[in-house]
């Protein structure tokens, strides 16, 4: 973690030099940052007694994460690892692998970041789908137990094994920014990136930040246009996974989503429309949201009973196509 802490500290010193010293005024102001990154949008709000300019630092973090973990960036470290041009890991990929391994073990391999050969074959990883997906053959390349870390090097059981960190990278990036903000001494902020969120403190009204969750229906492509529920969030991470924006319909008329069960090798067919997870950080929320969309409602309920640090708001389809909701008691819903 030394390099990570050094990076955050260095960025914090740079940002503080731009903002100047805080005054004693109790009057708060907002610093707002919006843009596009990793194929999605980001929205960040900082509440403080002075304005902050962290644009350069944010650009540095985003670029760092792209060049580390993006499977869409051909020159990223993860892309080069997948092509066997290197086996060296940076601290970011190493941390994500260790988090993913814990969840893979707990879920019996349903969740697995070695899923890349399958997601690529199905065309879910930004690549052209194969005319015919040989699931049995590709499953030989999938398995969290087929990789290990030795002195910050990735050892693969077979060279064809590839990693896909899409289910964890954005949540991890949000948490990295949050650590940077904490190093700045910021006490009130919200970070949203592609639907993954972490917030701390309060908003301009002096209450917890409020996050809107989109209604999961086809055609709802504008975030925030039609909300299902509003949740209060402070000191925690949130992520929403859904199958209503990325899916195709099979010959039986079933929705097949862009999530693959790593144990069966098949895309998921599910009645779950969206899973919003609140966790101790955005990384955990991101990963478990993906898991829930894979395992279905009943197994999700079991996991939530075992993990009291998690809260969830699940929207699923009933037998007659009606929208139904399952929500844990530890959610803070904005009435």
């Amino acid at each position: 973690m030394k390099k990570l802490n050094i990076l955050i500290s260095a960025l914090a010193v740079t940002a503080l030099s731009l903002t100047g010293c805080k005054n004693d005024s109790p009057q708060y102001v907002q610093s707002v940052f919006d843009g596009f990154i990793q194929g999605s949008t980001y929205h960040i709000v900082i509440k403080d007694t002075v304005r902050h300019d962290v644009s350069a630092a944010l650009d540095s973090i985003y670029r760092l994460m792209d060049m580390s973990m993006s499977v869409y960036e051909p020159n990223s470290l993860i892309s080069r690892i997948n092509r066997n041009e290197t086996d060296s890991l940076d601290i970011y990929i190493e941390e994500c692998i260790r988090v993913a391994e814990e969840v893979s073990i707990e879920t019996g391999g349903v969740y697995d970041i070695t899923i890349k050969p399958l997601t690529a074959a199905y065309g879910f990883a930004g690549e052209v789908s194969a005319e015919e997906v040989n699931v049995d053959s590709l499953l030989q390349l999938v398995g969290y137990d087929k990789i290990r870390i030795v002195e910050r090097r990735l050892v693969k059981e077979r060279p064809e094994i590839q990693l896909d960190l899409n289910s964890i990278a954005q949540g991890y990036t949000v948490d990295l920014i949050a650590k940077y903000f904490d190093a700045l001494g910021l006490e009130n902020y919200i970070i949203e990136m592609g639907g993954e969120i972490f917030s701390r403190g309060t908003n301009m009204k002096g209450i917890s930040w409020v996050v809107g969750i989109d209604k999961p229906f086809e055609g709802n492509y504008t975030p925030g246009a039609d909300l299902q529920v509003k949740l209060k969030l402070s000191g925690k991470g949130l992520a929403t996974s859904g199958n209503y924006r990325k899916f195709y319909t099979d010959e039986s008329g079933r929705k097949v989503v862009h999530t693959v069960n790593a144990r069966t090798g098949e895309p998921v067919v599910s009645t779950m429309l969206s899973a919003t997870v609140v966790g101790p950080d955005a990384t955990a929320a991101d990963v478990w949201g993906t898991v829930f969309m894979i395992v279905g409602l009943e197994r999700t309920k079991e996991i939530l009973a075992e993990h009291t640090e998690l809260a969830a708001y699940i929207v699923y389809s009933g037998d007659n196509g009606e929208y139904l909701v399952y929500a844990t008691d530890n959610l803070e819903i904005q009435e």
Side-chain angles (χ1 to χ4, degrees), residues 73-76 78-86 156 159 162:
E73 169 53 64
N75 295 317
S76 69
I78 197 69
S79 294
R80 291 188 288 118
I81 289 171
N82 284 341
R83 293 194 299 264
N84 297 305
E85 295 173 2
T86 181
K156 302 180 185 179
Q162 297 182 341

Side-chain angles (χ1 to χ4, degrees), residues 20-286:
C21 299
K22 288 186 178 181
N23 56 45
D24 295 327
S25 171
Q27 188 69 35
Y28 287 108
V29 294
Q30 283 192 155
S31 303
V32 182
F33 306 89
D34 293 289
F36 294 88
I37 191 67
Q38 295 181 357
S40 187
T41 60
Y42 67 86
H43 178 68
I44 295 172
V45 180
I46 298 171
K47 167 191 164 185
D48 204 353
T49 54
V50 296
R51 296 195 182 278
H52 291 264
D53 185 0
V54 295
S55 300
L58 291 174
D59 288 344
S60 295
I61 293 173
Y62 290 142
R63 181 60 178 167
L64 184 66
M65 292 297 96
D66 262 352
M67 295 308 298
S68 173
M69 296 190 286
S70 175
V71 295
Y72 302 105
E73 169 53 64
N75 295 317
S76 69
L77 180 56
I78 197 69
S79 294
R80 291 188 288 118
I81 289 171
N82 284 341
R83 293 194 299 264
N84 297 305
E85 295 173 2
T86 181
D87 60 0
S88 297
L89 301 172
D90 59 23
I91 190 169
Y92 317 112
I93 295 176
E94 182 176 356
E95 285 187 335
C96 287
I97 290 174
R98 295 193 187 281
V99 170
E101 182 183 32
E102 293 178 2
V103 178
S104 295
I105 291 171
E106 183 169 350
T107 61
V110 167
Y111 173 83
D112 199 310
I113 59 171
T114 63
I115 199 73
K116 177 69 161 57
L118 280 163
T119 56
Y122 287 115
F124 296 168
E127 302 178 29
V128 178
S129 60
E131 291 186 6
E132 184 176 347
V133 179
N134 189 330
V135 174
D136 290 337
S137 176
L138 292 175
L139 278 175
Q140 303 306 309
L141 306 177
V142 176
Y144 65 90
D145 55 347
K146 296 176 182 178
I147 61 171
R148 56 195 174 94
I149 299 172
V150 179
E151 296 180 350
R152 196 158 288 177
R153 293 185 179 276
L154 183 68
V155 179
K156 302 180 185 179
E157 191 174 281
R158 294 176 58 174
E160 301 95 330
I161 292 172
Q162 297 182 341
L163 307 184
D164 186 340
L165 299 176
N166 281 346
S167 61
I168 192 172
Q170 284 196 335
Y172 183 86
T173 301
V174 168
D175 289 335
L176 186 63
I177 296 170
K179 290 177 182 177
Y180 162 56
F181 284 178
D182 291 342
L184 283 176
L186 300 177
E187 299 177 350
N188 305 286
Y189 60 80
I190 186 167
I191 305 160
E192 184 272 332
M193 179 179 166
E196 281 67 54
I197 299 171
F198 186 87
S199 72
R200 193 177 297 286
T202 60
N203 61 20
M204 291 293 285
K205 295 180 180 180
I207 60 175
S208 296
W209 300 92
V210 178
V211 177
I213 307 302
D214 293 329
K215 283 187 178 179
F217 63 85
E218 293 178 37
N220 188 8
Y221 298 118
T222 305
D226 199 345
L227 297 179
Q228 172 76 29
V229 68
K230 295 180 180 180
L231 303 177
K232 297 178 182 178
L233 190 73
S234 182
K236 295 180 180 179
L238 179 148
T240 298
S241 297
N243 69 17
Y244 59 100
R245 286 175 177 160
K246 292 184 178 180
F247 67 91
Y248 67 88
T249 304
D250 67 10
E251 61 275 6
S252 302
R254 303 176 304 172
K255 285 184 180 178
V256 181
V257 305
H258 284 205
T259 304
V260 177
N261 184 325
R263 201 159 57 188
T264 66
E266 300 284 351
V268 174
V269 178
S270 176
T271 60
M272 286 179 58
L273 301 175
S274 71
T276 297
V277 181
V278 176
D281 52 40
T283 304
D286 200 1

Side-chain angles (χ1 to χ4, degrees), residues 231 236 304-305 308 310-313 326-333:
L231 303 177
K236 295 180 180 179
L304 288 168
T308 56
L310 302 176
Y313 188 96
Y326 172 79
T328 55
D329 294 335
N330 54 348
L331 275 176
E332 292 189 66
I333 296 177

